[in-house]
Amino acid sequence: METKSARLRDACQKTIQAFKKLKQPEFSDIISKLEFCIGSYNFDKNPVGLIEYGHIALEMLKEVKKNHPRKISKELIKNLEDSLF
């Protein structure tokens, strides 16, 4: 059975892919922070960084979705929300 933290890690990985597909330089910082937090989580199983940057990424995704509804899927946002809350 997958833990809530593992689901959050997976949702963050999908979020990274979504940001990379947008090819916008302003997302490079959140991408690198999420990648670092995923690596850290894989090492020590402490999801604190994933939670912190997951919330930031969620707000960024919602903002992109507002301006470009077809570029971010509802499913991605829902998966990230479900794993955070």
Side-chain angles (χ1 to χ4, degrees):
M1 185 169 144
E2 195 174 46
T3 66
K4 186 172 181 170
S5 297
R7 284 196 309 272
L8 176 56
R9 178 198 56 211
D10 296 344
C12 286
Q13 286 174 326
K14 289 178 179 152
T15 300
I16 289 169
Q17 296 311 313
F19 281 138
K20 284 182 176 180
K21 282 183 187 171
L22 294 171
K23 296 185 173 132
Q24 299 290 325
E26 65 264 22
F27 298 126
S28 62
D29 189 48
I30 191 69
I31 289 169
S32 63
K33 287 192 165 102
L34 285 172
E35 287 173 336
F36 176 83
C37 291
I38 288 169
S40 176
Y41 170 78
N42 287 337
F43 178 73
D44 63 13
K45 301 297 182 222
N46 183 344
V48 124
L50 286 176
I51 294 167
E52 179 182 348
Y53 288 105
H55 282 287
I56 294 168
L58 179 61
E59 294 309 311
M60 292 173 82
L61 284 175
K62 286 179 177 179
E63 197 61 36
V64 172
K65 178 100 176 134
K66 236 189 284 180
N67 299 325
H68 307 285
R70 294 178 174 214
K71 294 195 176 196
I72 302 295
S73 72
K74 288 180 194 170
E75 182 185 346
L76 176 64
I77 290 175
K78 182 170 180 359
N79 286 344
L80 191 53
E81 282 178 333
D82 290 348
S83 58
L84 283 168
F85 301 109

Coordinates of all heavy atoms in Angstrom, one line a residue:
M1 N 0.8 -1.2 0.0 CA 0.0 0.0 0.0 C 0.9 1.3 0.0 O 1.9 1.3 0.7 CB -0.9 0.0 1.2 CG -1.9 1.1 1.2 SD -3.1 0.9 2.5 CE -3.3 2.6 2.9
E2 N 0.5 2.2 -0.8 CA 1.3 3.4 -0.9 C 0.9 4.4 0.2 O -0.3 4.6 0.5 CB 1.0 4.0 -2.3 CG 2.0 5.1 -2.7 CD 1.7 5.6 -4.1 OE1 0.6 5.8 -4.5 OE2 2.7 5.6 -4.9
T3 N 1.9 5.1 0.7 CA 1.6 6.0 1.8 C 1.2 7.4 1.2 O 1.4 7.6 0.0 CB 2.8 6.3 2.7 OG1 3.9 6.9 1.8 CG2 3.4 5.0 3.3
K4 N 0.6 8.2 2.0 CA 0.2 9.5 1.6 C 1.5 10.3 1.1 O 1.4 11.0 0.1 CB -0.5 10.3 2.7 CG -1.0 11.6 2.3 CD -1.9 12.2 3.3 CE -2.4 13.5 2.8 NZ -3.5 14.1 3.6
S5 N 2.6 10.2 1.8 CA 3.8 10.9 1.4 C 4.3 10.4 0.1 O 4.8 11.2 -0.7 CB 4.9 10.6 2.5 OG 4.5 11.2 3.7
A6 N 4.2 9.1 -0.2 CA 4.6 8.6 -1.5 C 3.7 9.1 -2.6 O 4.2 9.4 -3.7 CB 4.6 7.0 -1.5
R7 N 2.4 9.2 -2.3 CA 1.5 9.8 -3.3 C 1.9 11.3 -3.6 O 1.8 11.7 -4.7 CB 0.1 9.7 -2.9 CG -0.5 8.3 -3.0 CD -2.0 8.2 -2.9 NE -2.6 8.9 -1.7 CZ -2.8 8.4 -0.5 NH1 -2.5 7.1 -0.3 NH2 -3.3 9.1 0.5
L8 N 2.3 12.0 -2.5 CA 2.7 13.4 -2.7 C 3.9 13.4 -3.6 O 4.0 14.3 -4.4 CB 2.9 14.0 -1.3 CG 3.5 15.4 -1.3 CD1 2.5 16.4 -2.1 CD2 3.6 16.0 0.1
R9 N 4.9 12.5 -3.3 CA 6.1 12.5 -4.1 C 5.7 12.3 -5.6 O 6.2 13.0 -6.5 CB 7.0 11.4 -3.7 CG 8.3 11.3 -4.5 CD 9.0 9.9 -4.3 NE 8.1 8.9 -4.7 CZ 8.1 7.7 -4.1 NH1 9.0 7.4 -3.2 NH2 7.2 6.7 -4.4
D10 N 4.9 11.3 -5.9 CA 4.5 11.0 -7.2 C 3.7 12.2 -7.9 O 4.0 12.6 -9.1 CB 3.6 9.8 -7.3 CG 4.3 8.5 -6.9 OD1 5.6 8.6 -6.8 OD2 3.6 7.6 -6.6
A11 N 2.9 12.9 -7.1 CA 2.2 14.1 -7.6 C 3.2 15.2 -7.9 O 3.0 15.9 -8.9 CB 1.1 14.6 -6.6
C12 N 4.2 15.4 -7.1 CA 5.2 16.4 -7.3 C 6.0 16.0 -8.6 O 6.4 16.9 -9.3 CB 6.1 16.5 -6.1 SG 5.3 17.4 -4.7
Q13 N 6.3 14.8 -8.8 CA 7.0 14.4 -10.0 C 6.2 14.7 -11.3 O 6.8 15.3 -12.2 CB 7.3 12.9 -10.0 CG 8.5 12.5 -9.0 CD 8.7 11.0 -8.9 OE1 7.8 10.2 -8.9 NE2 9.9 10.7 -8.6
K14 N 4.9 14.5 -11.2 CA 4.0 14.9 -12.3 C 4.0 16.4 -12.5 O 3.9 16.9 -13.6 CB 2.6 14.3 -12.2 CG 2.6 12.8 -12.3 CD 1.3 12.2 -12.1 CE 1.4 10.7 -12.3 NZ 0.5 9.9 -11.6
T15 N 4.0 17.1 -11.4 CA 4.0 18.5 -11.4 C 5.3 19.1 -12.1 O 5.2 20.0 -12.9 CB 3.9 19.1 -10.0 OG1 2.7 18.6 -9.4 CG2 3.9 20.6 -10.0
I16 N 6.4 18.5 -11.8 CA 7.7 18.8 -12.4 C 7.5 18.7 -13.9 O 7.9 19.6 -14.7 CB 8.8 18.0 -11.9 CG1 9.2 18.4 -10.4 CG2 10.1 18.2 -12.8 CD1 10.1 17.5 -9.7
Q17 N 7.0 17.5 -14.4 CA 6.9 17.3 -15.8 C 6.0 18.3 -16.5 O 6.2 18.8 -17.6 CB 6.3 15.9 -16.0 CG 7.2 14.7 -15.6 CD 8.6 14.9 -16.1 OE1 8.9 15.1 -17.2 NE2 9.6 14.7 -15.2
A18 N 4.9 18.7 -15.8 CA 4.0 19.7 -16.3 C 4.7 21.1 -16.4 O 4.6 21.8 -17.5 CB 2.8 19.9 -15.4
F19 N 5.5 21.5 -15.4 CA 6.2 22.7 -15.5 C 7.3 22.7 -16.6 O 7.5 23.7 -17.3 CB 6.9 23.0 -14.2 CG 6.0 23.6 -13.1 CD1 6.1 23.2 -11.8 CD2 5.1 24.6 -13.4 CE1 5.3 23.7 -10.8 CE2 4.3 25.1 -12.4 CZ 4.4 24.7 -11.1
K20 N 7.9 21.5 -16.8 CA 8.9 21.4 -17.8 C 8.3 21.5 -19.2 O 8.9 22.1 -20.1 CB 9.7 20.1 -17.7 CG 10.7 20.1 -16.6 CD 11.5 18.8 -16.5 CE 12.5 18.8 -15.5 NZ 13.3 17.6 -15.4
K21 N 7.1 21.0 -19.4 CA 6.4 21.1 -20.7 C 6.1 22.5 -21.1 O 6.0 22.9 -22.2 CB 5.1 20.2 -20.7 CG 5.4 18.8 -20.8 CD 4.1 18.0 -20.9 CE 4.3 16.5 -20.9 NZ 3.1 15.8 -20.7
L22 N 5.9 23.4 -20.0 CA 5.5 24.8 -20.3 C 6.7 25.5 -20.8 O 6.6 26.6 -21.5 CB 5.0 25.4 -19.0 CG 3.7 24.9 -18.5 CD1 3.4 25.4 -17.1 CD2 2.6 25.2 -19.5
K23 N 7.9 25.0 -20.6 CA 9.2 25.7 -21.1 C 9.3 27.2 -20.8 O 9.6 28.0 -21.6 CB 9.3 25.4 -22.6 CG 9.5 24.0 -22.9 CD 9.7 23.8 -24.4 CE 10.0 22.3 -24.6 NZ 9.4 21.7 -25.7
Q24 N 9.0 27.5 -19.5 CA 9.0 28.9 -19.1 C 10.2 29.0 -18.0 O 10.2 28.2 -17.1 CB 7.7 29.3 -18.4 CG 6.5 29.2 -19.3 CD 6.5 30.3 -20.4 OE1 7.0 31.4 -20.2 NE2 6.1 30.0 -21.6
P25 N 11.1 29.9 -18.2 CA 12.2 30.1 -17.3 C 11.8 30.4 -15.9 O 12.5 30.0 -14.9 CB 13.0 31.2 -17.9 CG 12.2 31.9 -18.9 CD 11.1 30.9 -19.3
E26 N 10.6 31.0 -15.7 CA 10.2 31.3 -14.3 C 9.9 30.1 -13.4 O 9.8 30.2 -12.2 CB 9.0 32.3 -14.3 CG 7.7 31.8 -14.9 CD 7.5 32.2 -16.3 OE1 8.5 32.5 -17.0 OE2 6.4 32.2 -16.7
F27 N 9.7 29.0 -14.1 CA 9.4 27.7 -13.3 C 10.7 26.9 -13.0 O 10.6 25.9 -12.3 CB 8.5 26.8 -14.1 CG 7.1 27.5 -14.4 CD1 6.6 27.6 -15.7 CD2 6.4 28.0 -13.4 CE1 5.4 28.2 -15.9 CE2 5.2 28.6 -13.6 CZ 4.7 28.7 -14.9
S28 N 11.8 27.4 -13.4 CA 13.1 26.6 -13.2 C 13.4 26.5 -11.7 O 13.8 25.5 -11.2 CB 14.3 27.2 -13.9 OG 14.5 28.5 -13.5
D29 N 13.1 27.5 -10.9 CA 13.3 27.5 -9.5 C 12.5 26.5 -8.8 O 13.0 25.7 -8.0 CB 13.1 28.9 -8.9 CG 13.6 29.0 -7.4 OD1 14.7 28.6 -7.2 OD2 12.8 29.5 -6.6
I30 N 11.2 26.5 -9.0 CA 10.3 25.5 -8.4 C 10.6 24.1 -8.8 O 10.5 23.1 -8.0 CB 8.8 25.9 -8.5 CG1 7.9 25.0 -7.6 CG2 8.3 25.7 -10.0 CD1 8.0 25.3 -6.2
I31 N 11.0 23.9 -10.1 CA 11.4 22.6 -10.6 C 12.6 22.1 -9.8 O 12.5 20.9 -9.3 CB 11.7 22.7 -12.1 CG1 10.4 22.9 -12.9 CG2 12.4 21.4 -12.6 CD1 10.6 23.2 -14.4
S32 N 13.6 22.9 -9.7 CA 14.8 22.4 -9.0 C 14.5 22.2 -7.5 O 15.0 21.2 -6.9 CB 16.0 23.4 -9.1 OG 15.7 24.6 -8.6
K33 N 13.7 23.0 -6.9 CA 13.3 22.8 -5.5 C 12.5 21.5 -5.3 O 12.8 20.7 -4.3 CB 12.6 24.0 -4.9 CG 13.5 25.2 -4.7 CD 12.9 26.2 -3.9 CE 13.9 27.2 -3.4 NZ 14.0 28.4 -4.2
L34 N 11.6 21.2 -6.2 CA 10.8 20.0 -6.1 C 11.7 18.8 -6.3 O 11.6 17.8 -5.6 CB 9.6 20.0 -7.1 CG 8.4 20.9 -6.7 CD1 7.5 21.0 -7.9 CD2 7.7 20.4 -5.5
E35 N 12.6 18.9 -7.3 CA 13.5 17.7 -7.6 C 14.4 17.5 -6.4 O 14.6 16.3 -6.0 CB 14.4 18.0 -8.8 CG 13.6 18.0 -10.1 CD 14.4 18.4 -11.3 OE1 15.3 19.2 -11.2 OE2 14.0 18.0 -12.4
F36 N 14.9 18.5 -5.7 CA 15.7 18.3 -4.5 C 14.9 17.7 -3.4 O 15.3 16.7 -2.8 CB 16.3 19.7 -4.0 CG 17.0 19.5 -2.8 CD1 18.3 19.1 -2.8 CD2 16.4 19.8 -1.5 CE1 19.0 19.0 -1.6 CE2 17.1 19.6 -0.3 CZ 18.4 19.2 -0.4
C37 N 13.6 18.1 -3.2 CA 12.8 17.6 -2.2 C 12.4 16.1 -2.4 O 12.3 15.4 -1.5 CB 11.5 18.5 -2.0 SG 11.9 20.1 -1.3
I38 N 12.2 15.8 -3.7 CA 11.9 14.4 -4.0 C 13.1 13.5 -3.7 O 13.0 12.5 -3.1 CB 11.5 14.3 -5.5 CG1 10.1 14.8 -5.7 CG2 11.6 12.8 -5.9 CD1 9.7 15.0 -7.1
G39 N 14.3 14.0 -4.1 CA 15.5 13.2 -3.7 C 15.7 13.1 -2.2 O 16.1 12.0 -1.7
S40 N 15.5 14.2 -1.5 CA 15.6 14.2 -0.1 C 14.6 13.2 0.5 O 14.9 12.4 1.4 CB 15.4 15.6 0.5 OG 15.4 15.6 1.9
Y41 N 13.4 13.3 0.1 CA 12.3 12.4 0.6 C 12.7 10.9 0.3 O 12.6 10.0 1.2 CB 11.0 12.7 0.0 CG 10.0 11.6 0.3 CD1 9.4 11.6 1.6 CD2 9.6 10.6 -0.6 CE1 8.5 10.6 1.9 CE2 8.7 9.6 -0.3 CZ 8.2 9.6 1.0 OH 7.3 8.6 1.3
N42 N 13.2 10.6 -0.9 CA 13.6 9.2 -1.2 C 14.7 8.8 -0.3 O 14.8 7.6 0.0 CB 14.1 9.1 -2.7 CG 12.9 9.2 -3.7 OD1 11.7 9.0 -3.3 ND2 13.2 9.6 -4.9
F43 N 15.6 9.7 0.2 CA 16.7 9.3 1.1 C 16.2 9.1 2.5 O 16.5 8.1 3.1 CB 17.8 10.4 1.0 CG 18.9 10.1 1.9 CD1 19.8 9.1 1.6 CD2 19.1 10.8 3.1 CE1 20.9 8.8 2.5 CE2 20.1 10.5 3.9 CZ 21.0 9.6 3.6
D44 N 15.4 10.1 3.0 CA 15.1 10.0 4.5 C 13.6 9.8 4.8 O 13.3 9.7 6.0 CB 15.6 11.2 5.2 CG 15.0 12.5 4.8 OD1 14.0 12.5 4.0 OD2 15.6 13.6 5.1
K45 N 12.8 9.8 3.8 CA 11.3 9.6 4.0 C 10.6 10.6 4.8 O 9.6 10.5 5.3 CB 11.0 8.2 4.6 CG 11.5 7.0 3.7 CD 10.8 7.0 2.4 CE 11.3 5.8 1.6 NZ 11.6 6.1 0.2
N46 N 11.3 11.8 4.9 CA 10.7 13.0 5.6 C 10.0 13.9 4.5 O 10.7 14.5 3.7 CB 11.8 13.7 6.3 CG 11.2 14.8 7.2 OD1 10.1 15.3 6.9 ND2 12.0 15.3 8.1
P47 N 8.7 14.0 4.5 CA 8.0 14.7 3.5 C 7.9 16.2 3.7 O 7.2 16.9 2.9 CB 6.6 14.1 3.5 CG 6.4 13.8 4.9 CD 7.8 13.3 5.4
V48 N 8.6 16.8 4.7 CA 8.4 18.2 5.0 C 8.6 19.1 3.8 O 7.9 20.0 3.6 CB 9.3 18.5 6.2 CG1 10.2 19.7 6.0 CG2 8.4 18.8 7.4
G49 N 9.7 18.9 3.1 CA 10.0 19.8 1.9 C 9.0 19.6 0.8 O 8.6 20.6 0.1
L50 N 8.6 18.4 0.6 CA 7.5 18.1 -0.4 C 6.2 18.8 -0.1 O 5.6 19.4 -1.0 CB 7.2 16.6 -0.5 CG 8.3 15.7 -1.2 CD1 7.8 14.2 -1.1 CD2 8.5 16.1 -2.6
I51 N 5.9 18.8 1.2 CA 4.7 19.5 1.6 C 4.8 21.0 1.4 O 3.9 21.7 0.8 CB 4.3 19.2 3.1 CG1 4.0 17.7 3.2 CG2 3.2 20.1 3.6 CD1 3.9 17.2 4.6
E52 N 5.9 21.6 1.8 CA 6.1 23.0 1.7 C 6.1 23.5 0.2 O 5.4 24.4 -0.2 CB 7.5 23.4 2.3 CG 7.8 24.9 2.2 CD 9.1 25.3 2.7 OE1 9.8 24.5 3.5 OE2 9.6 26.4 2.5
Y53 N 6.9 22.8 -0.6 CA 7.0 23.2 -2.0 C 5.8 22.7 -2.9 O 5.5 23.2 -3.9 CB 8.4 22.8 -2.6 CG 9.4 23.7 -2.1 CD1 10.3 23.3 -1.1 CD2 9.5 25.1 -2.5 CE1 11.3 24.1 -0.6 CE2 10.4 25.9 -1.9 CZ 11.3 25.5 -1.0 OH 12.2 26.3 -0.5
G54 N 5.2 21.6 -2.4 CA 4.0 21.2 -3.0 C 2.9 22.2 -3.0 O 2.2 22.5 -4.0
H55 N 2.7 22.9 -1.8 CA 1.8 24.0 -1.7 C 2.1 25.1 -2.6 O 1.2 25.7 -3.3 CB 1.7 24.5 -0.2 CG 0.9 23.6 0.7 ND1 -0.4 23.5 0.7 CD2 1.4 22.8 1.6 CE1 -0.8 22.6 1.6 NE2 0.2 22.2 2.2
I56 N 3.4 25.5 -2.7 CA 3.8 26.6 -3.6 C 3.5 26.2 -5.0 O 3.0 27.0 -5.8 CB 5.3 26.9 -3.4 CG1 5.5 27.5 -2.0 CG2 5.8 27.9 -4.5 CD1 6.9 27.6 -1.5
A57 N 3.9 25.0 -5.4 CA 3.6 24.5 -6.8 C 2.2 24.5 -7.1 O 1.8 24.8 -8.2 CB 4.3 23.1 -7.0
L58 N 1.3 24.1 -6.2 CA -0.1 24.0 -6.4 C -0.6 25.4 -6.7 O -1.4 25.6 -7.7 CB -0.8 23.5 -5.1 CG -2.3 23.4 -5.2 CD1 -2.8 22.4 -6.3 CD2 -2.9 22.9 -3.9
E59 N -0.2 26.4 -6.0 CA -0.7 27.8 -6.3 C -0.2 28.2 -7.7 O -1.0 28.9 -8.4 CB -0.2 28.8 -5.2 CG -0.8 28.5 -3.8 CD -2.4 28.4 -3.9 OE1 -3.0 29.3 -4.5 OE2 -2.9 27.4 -3.3
M60 N 1.0 27.9 -8.0 CA 1.5 28.2 -9.3 C 0.8 27.5 -10.4 O 0.4 28.1 -11.5 CB 3.0 27.9 -9.4 CG 3.9 28.7 -8.5 SD 5.6 28.2 -8.4 CE 6.2 28.9 -9.9
L61 N 0.4 26.3 -10.2 CA -0.3 25.5 -11.2 C -1.7 26.1 -11.4 O -2.2 26.3 -12.5 CB -0.5 24.1 -10.8 CG 0.7 23.1 -10.9 CD1 0.4 21.8 -10.4 CD2 1.1 23.0 -12.4
K62 N -2.3 26.5 -10.3 CA -3.7 27.1 -10.4 C -3.6 28.4 -11.2 O -4.5 28.8 -12.0 CB -4.2 27.4 -9.0 CG -4.7 26.1 -8.3 CD -5.3 26.4 -6.9 CE -5.8 25.2 -6.3 NZ -6.3 25.5 -4.9
E63 N -2.5 29.2 -11.0 CA -2.4 30.5 -11.7 C -2.2 30.2 -13.2 O -2.8 30.9 -14.0 CB -1.2 31.2 -11.1 CG -1.1 32.7 -11.5 CD -2.3 33.5 -11.0 OE1 -2.8 33.2 -9.9 OE2 -2.7 34.4 -11.7
V64 N -1.4 29.2 -13.5 CA -1.2 28.9 -15.0 C -2.5 28.4 -15.6 O -2.9 28.8 -16.7 CB -0.1 27.8 -15.1 CG1 0.0 27.3 -16.6 CG2 1.3 28.3 -14.7
K65 N -3.2 27.6 -14.8 CA -4.5 27.1 -15.3 C -5.5 28.2 -15.6 O -6.3 28.1 -16.5 CB -5.1 26.1 -14.3 CG -6.4 25.5 -14.6 CD -6.2 24.1 -15.2 CE -7.6 23.5 -15.5 NZ -7.6 22.9 -16.8
K66 N -5.5 29.2 -14.7 CA -6.4 30.4 -14.9 C -6.1 31.1 -16.3 O -7.0 31.4 -17.0 CB -6.1 31.4 -13.8 CG -7.4 31.8 -13.1 CD -7.2 32.9 -12.1 CE -6.4 32.5 -10.9 NZ -6.1 33.5 -9.9
N67 N -4.8 31.2 -16.6 CA -4.4 32.0 -17.8 C -4.3 31.1 -19.0 O -4.5 31.5 -20.1 CB -3.0 32.6 -17.6 CG -3.1 33.6 -16.5 OD1 -4.1 34.3 -16.3 ND2 -2.0 33.7 -15.7
H68 N -4.1 29.8 -18.8 CA -3.9 28.8 -19.9 C -4.6 27.5 -19.6 O -4.0 26.5 -19.2 CB -2.4 28.5 -20.2 CG -1.6 29.8 -20.5 ND1 -1.7 30.5 -21.7 CD2 -0.8 30.4 -19.7 CE1 -0.9 31.5 -21.6 NE2 -0.3 31.5 -20.4
P69 N -6.0 27.5 -19.6 CA -6.7 26.3 -19.1 C -6.3 25.0 -19.7 O -6.5 24.0 -19.0 CB -8.2 26.7 -19.4 CG -8.2 28.1 -19.9 CD -6.8 28.5 -20.2
R70 N -5.9 25.0 -20.9 CA -5.6 23.7 -21.6 C -4.2 23.1 -21.2 O -3.9 22.0 -21.5 CB -5.8 23.8 -23.1 CG -7.2 24.0 -23.4 CD -7.4 24.2 -24.9 NE -8.8 24.2 -25.2 CZ -9.3 23.8 -26.3 NH1 -8.6 23.2 -27.2 NH2 -10.6 23.9 -26.5
K71 N -3.3 23.9 -20.7 CA -2.0 23.5 -20.5 C -1.8 22.7 -19.2 O -0.8 22.0 -19.0 CB -1.0 24.7 -20.5 CG -1.0 25.4 -21.8 CD 0.2 26.3 -21.9 CE 0.2 26.8 -23.4 NZ 1.5 27.4 -23.7
I72 N -2.7 22.9 -18.2 CA -2.6 22.1 -16.9 C -3.9 21.4 -16.8 O -5.0 21.9 -16.8 CB -2.4 23.1 -15.8 CG1 -1.2 24.0 -15.9 CG2 -2.4 22.4 -14.4 CD1 0.2 23.2 -15.9
S73 N -3.8 20.1 -16.5 CA -5.0 19.3 -16.4 C -5.6 19.4 -15.0 O -4.9 19.6 -14.0 CB -4.7 17.8 -16.6 OG -3.9 17.2 -15.5
K74 N -6.9 19.3 -14.9 CA -7.6 19.3 -13.7 C -7.2 18.2 -12.8 O -7.1 18.3 -11.6 CB -9.2 19.2 -13.9 CG -9.8 20.4 -14.5 CD -11.3 20.1 -14.6 CE -11.9 21.2 -15.5 NZ -13.3 20.8 -15.9
E75 N -6.9 17.0 -13.4 CA -6.5 15.8 -12.7 C -5.2 16.1 -12.0 O -5.0 15.7 -10.8 CB -6.3 14.7 -13.7 CG -5.9 13.4 -13.0 CD -5.6 12.3 -14.0 OE1 -6.0 12.4 -15.2 OE2 -5.0 11.3 -13.6
L76 N -4.2 16.8 -12.6 CA -2.9 17.1 -11.9 C -3.2 17.9 -10.7 O -2.6 17.6 -9.6 CB -2.0 17.8 -12.9 CG -0.7 18.2 -12.3 CD1 0.2 17.0 -11.9 CD2 0.1 19.1 -13.4
I77 N -4.0 18.9 -10.8 CA -4.2 19.8 -9.7 C -5.0 19.0 -8.6 O -4.6 19.1 -7.4 CB -5.0 21.1 -10.1 CG1 -4.1 22.0 -10.9 CG2 -5.6 21.8 -8.9 CD1 -4.8 23.2 -11.5
K78 N -5.9 18.2 -9.0 CA -6.7 17.4 -8.0 C -5.8 16.4 -7.3 O -5.8 16.3 -6.0 CB -7.9 16.7 -8.6 CG -8.7 15.9 -7.7 CD -10.0 15.4 -8.3 CE -10.8 14.6 -7.3 NZ -10.4 14.4 -6.0
N79 N -4.9 15.7 -8.0 CA -4.0 14.8 -7.4 C -3.1 15.5 -6.4 O -2.8 14.9 -5.3 CB -3.2 14.1 -8.5 CG -3.9 13.0 -9.2 OD1 -5.0 12.6 -8.8 ND2 -3.4 12.6 -10.3
L80 N -2.6 16.6 -6.8 CA -1.7 17.4 -5.9 C -2.4 17.8 -4.6 O -1.9 17.6 -3.5 CB -1.0 18.5 -6.6 CG 0.1 19.3 -5.9 CD1 1.2 18.3 -5.5 CD2 0.7 20.3 -6.8
E81 N -3.6 18.4 -4.8 CA -4.4 18.8 -3.7 C -4.8 17.6 -2.7 O -4.6 17.7 -1.5 CB -5.8 19.4 -4.1 CG -5.6 20.8 -4.7 CD -7.0 21.4 -5.2 OE1 -7.8 20.6 -5.6 OE2 -7.1 22.6 -5.1
D82 N -5.2 16.5 -3.3 CA -5.5 15.3 -2.5 C -4.4 14.8 -1.7 O -4.5 14.4 -0.6 CB -6.1 14.2 -3.4 CG -7.4 14.5 -4.0 OD1 -8.1 15.5 -3.5 OD2 -7.9 13.8 -4.9
S83 N -3.2 14.9 -2.3 CA -2.0 14.4 -1.5 C -1.5 15.4 -0.5 O -0.8 15.0 0.4 CB -0.9 14.0 -2.5 OG -0.5 15.0 -3.3
L84 N -1.9 16.6 -0.7 CA -1.4 17.7 0.3 C -2.4 17.8 1.5 O -2.0 18.1 2.6 CB -1.3 19.0 -0.4 CG 0.0 19.2 -1.2 CD1 -0.2 20.5 -2.1 CD2 1.2 19.3 -0.3
F85 N -3.7 17.6 1.2 CA -4.7 17.9 2.3 C -5.3 16.6 2.8 O -5.3 15.6 2.3 CB -5.8 18.8 1.8 CG -5.2 20.2 1.3 CD1 -5.1 20.5 0.0 CD2 -4.7 21.1 2.3 CE1 -4.6 21.7 -0.4 CE2 -4.1 22.3 1.9 CZ -4.1 22.6 0.5

